[in-house]
């Protein structure tokens, strides 16, 4: 592959090491400190990915806790609120609901609250298996 023909050097103009890493052969013949730097950068990125996947898993476990009766009180509250929401959506046209939600999300920062909303606070207080590890 011709790197100049494919304009590959313009992909990472600020970091020439990124491009060098992409076109490096296996096994590498680069100095040990460059390989160690690349490995540390890969470990850092993998740690961030692992943190994000762990957060997503925790949210999924909380959603499962609502639906699996692990916390009967939370499941009852969720079912009642879901039924109220269904009746609300059935009675009021969708366009009105969409406009109200848009106005809520686009409200002025003066009306924002430092505290999480009641549904978010309820959801974050649900059990997840990550608390069992501690």
């Amino acid at each position: 592959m011709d790197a100049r023909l494919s304009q590959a050097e313009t992909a990472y103009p600020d970091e020439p090491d990124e491009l060098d890493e992409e076109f490096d052969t296996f096994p590498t013949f680069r100095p040990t400190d460059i390989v160690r730097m690349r490995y540390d950068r890969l470990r850092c990125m993998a740690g961030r990915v692992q943190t994000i996947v762990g957060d997503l898993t925790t949210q999924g476990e909380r959603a499962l806790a609502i639906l699996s009766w692990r916390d009967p009180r939370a499941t009852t509250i969720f079912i009642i609120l879901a039924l109220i929401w269904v009746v609300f959506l059935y009675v009021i046209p969708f366009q009105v609901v969409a406009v109200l939600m848009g106005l809520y999300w686009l409200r002025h920062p003066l009306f924002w609250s430092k505290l999480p909303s009641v549904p978010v606070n309820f959801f974050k207080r649900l059990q997840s298996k990550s608390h069992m590890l501690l």
Side-chain angles (χ1 to χ4, degrees):
M1 179 175 134
D2 187 7
R4 290 212 170 101
L5 181 64
S6 66
Q7 299 284 325
E9 68 268 358
T10 61
Y12 300 105
D14 299 331
E15 295 223 17
D17 183 56
E18 294 276 337
L19 191 61
D20 183 49
E21 182 180 354
E22 291 295 324
F23 292 111
D24 197 7
T25 59
F26 182 80
T28 185
F29 297 108
R30 301 288 184 258
T32 309
D33 57 338
I34 292 177
V35 175
R36 184 175 291 124
M37 181 189 63
R38 290 176 183 172
Y39 179 70
D40 288 341
R41 189 170 47 210
L42 181 66
R43 276 187 25 217
C44 180
M45 196 174 293
R48 280 187 251 153
V49 167
Q50 188 173 5
T51 302
I52 291 171
V53 168
D55 291 344
L56 287 173
T57 303
T58 302
Q59 300 303 328
E61 288 172 353
R62 287 180 178 150
L64 189 63
I66 286 179
L67 301 174
S68 68
W69 290 94
R70 195 171 6 160
D71 188 358
R73 185 175 38 186
T75 306
T76 305
I77 292 171
F78 176 74
I79 290 174
I80 289 170
L81 290 176
L83 288 174
I84 291 171
W85 184 245
V86 165
V87 170
F88 177 75
L89 288 178
Y90 183 74
V91 172
I92 297 176
F94 178 74
Q95 288 85 3
V96 175
V97 174
V99 167
L100 290 176
M101 289 174 73
L103 288 175
Y104 176 75
W105 279 320
L106 296 174
R107 68 189 185 276
H108 193 275
L110 181 68
F111 299 116
W112 290 355
S113 175
K114 302 275 186 205
L115 298 174
S117 65
V118 175
V120 170
N121 191 19
F122 174 75
F123 191 71
K124 287 193 177 200
R125 290 175 180 260
L126 286 172
Q127 302 173 20
S128 68
K129 292 182 182 178
S130 64
H131 295 115
M132 294 179 192
L133 296 174
L134 302 174

